Amino acid sequence: MATPTVVSWEQVSVPTPSGRLPARVYRPGTASPQGWLVWAHGGSWRAGSAQDWHGATAELARHSGFGVVSVDYRLAPDVRHPAMVEDILSTLAWAGEQQDGPAGAVSVLAVGGDSAGGTLAASAALVCRDRGVPLAAQVLAYPPLDPGCAAASYHRFPDLFPTASYLTAAWQDYRQPGRPVAADGTRLHSTPFEAADLRGLAPAVMATGDLDPVSDDVHHYGRLLRAAGVEVALREFRQTGHGAFLQPGPGPGPGRGPGGHPTASMRGWLGLALRRLTSPNDPGTPPSSPPWS
């Protein structure tokens, strides 16, 4: 059996226009990471922290081979959108300046998040496209995307977390009236469902559960991205509700998880899918067959 990759971590401070933000940086193994993944934790835009997500983001670094920067972005109701998206963008800029590899090498950047953090990551990916900032991937775990919570899955599972009424209140705390625009003229979306054009976005690695009230949002966004010519890897986990990114499970290895997939945990699958996407010829990466969902 292969020895599990050891993940080291450190507390850092990320400079932003509004002040310095605390973040945790996770590095897998002793070699240079394959790239940098900026991660936005969940918590309905109102709660959560890098510390609370410590185990999940450390395991994500182990599976993906990426350095993971888990950032404590500002939370509602103290601030509202677009503050959180701006914090993710500042952290991406900071991560792009980190050099763990050869001098002069261009950092491979990706953005991701779970639940409300996934919404922020998808919105940040749109800004990166519009500003010409190259992203290798957007990694999205069950992001809620419709402020109206109108999809059938919200009503198919009316008693499961997050309920439509809970998320509606969270959206109201997160968003503000108007259509925020950055100083350079870039539109700052609160959800990618606001964007008229999804062409040219970074490839998406997406996961949800079949018992998750936001699952229809995720599938709908996957269809929109594919229609726009964006590469999408999407897996729906069976008998799985919201919050599965925080649940540990067996990591990737010689065996296969349930259903023939390389990993049984959501964060393991997301990490391995990111690794496959960015380093398909890596000899340490299991083959992608059977196909992704």
Side-chain angles (χ1 to χ4, degrees), residues 2-263:
T3 303
T5 300
V6 176
V7 176
S8 63
W9 74 276
E10 63 176 321
Q11 188 76 32
V12 300
S13 180
V14 176
T16 79
S18 62
R20 303 190 74 88
L21 289 177
R24 293 190 176 199
V25 173
Y26 301 85
R27 290 180 172 85
T30 57
S32 299
Q34 294 189 191
W36 291 101
L37 169 62
V38 171
W39 192 261
H41 63 76
S44 305
W45 305 289
R46 301 179 294 194
S49 69
Q51 179 178 342
D52 295 341
W53 263 245
H54 177 86
T57 43
E59 191 173 339
L60 186 61
R62 178 181 299 115
H63 293 316
S64 66
F66 271 62
V68 176
V69 185
S70 181
V71 61
D72 279 314
Y73 57 86
R74 291 170 290 169
L75 299 174
D78 292 342
V79 299
R80 303 178 79 178
H81 174 78
M84 302 81 161
V85 174
E86 291 172 332
D87 290 345
I88 303 305
L89 293 167
S90 294
T91 308
L92 278 165
W94 178 86
E97 297 171 353
Q98 306 310 301
Q99 287 292 344
D100 278 18
V106 177
S107 294
V108 176
L109 286 178
V111 67
D114 57 296
S115 192
T119 315
L120 300 178
S123 297
L126 277 161
V127 178
C128 289
R129 178 204 61 181
D130 293 342
R131 290 178 173 169
V133 177
L135 284 182
Q138 49 180 321
V139 183
L140 312 176
Y142 44 83
L145 299 171
D146 175 20
C149 302
S153 56
Y154 289 102
H155 308 288
R156 190 160 58 243
F157 311 117
D159 298 324
L160 295 182
F161 179 82
T163 64
S165 60
Y166 174 90
L167 267 182
T168 298
W171 278 107
Q172 291 171 350
D173 281 350
Y174 163 56
R175 302 173 86 211
Q176 60 181 337
R179 300 164 66 88
V181 177
D184 64 359
T186 305
R187 174 78 191 280
L188 300 171
H189 298 286
S190 63
T191 166
F193 279 3
E194 295 173 338
D197 187 356
L198 300 177
R199 291 175 296 179
L201 278 170
V205 174
M206 305 170 68
T208 188
D210 62 344
L211 302 179
D212 193 329
V214 310
S215 61
D216 283 359
D217 283 4
V218 178
H219 284 286
H220 181 54
Y221 192 45
R223 290 191 294 270
L224 290 175
L225 289 171
R226 285 176 174 138
V230 178
E231 182 179 356
V232 176
L234 170 60
R235 179 180 172 187
E236 181 176 85
F237 284 71
R238 302 301 178 189
Q239 295 300 301
T240 299
H242 203 75
F245 178 76
L246 295 175
Q247 299 170 4
R256 297 282 180 172
H261 290 278
T263 56

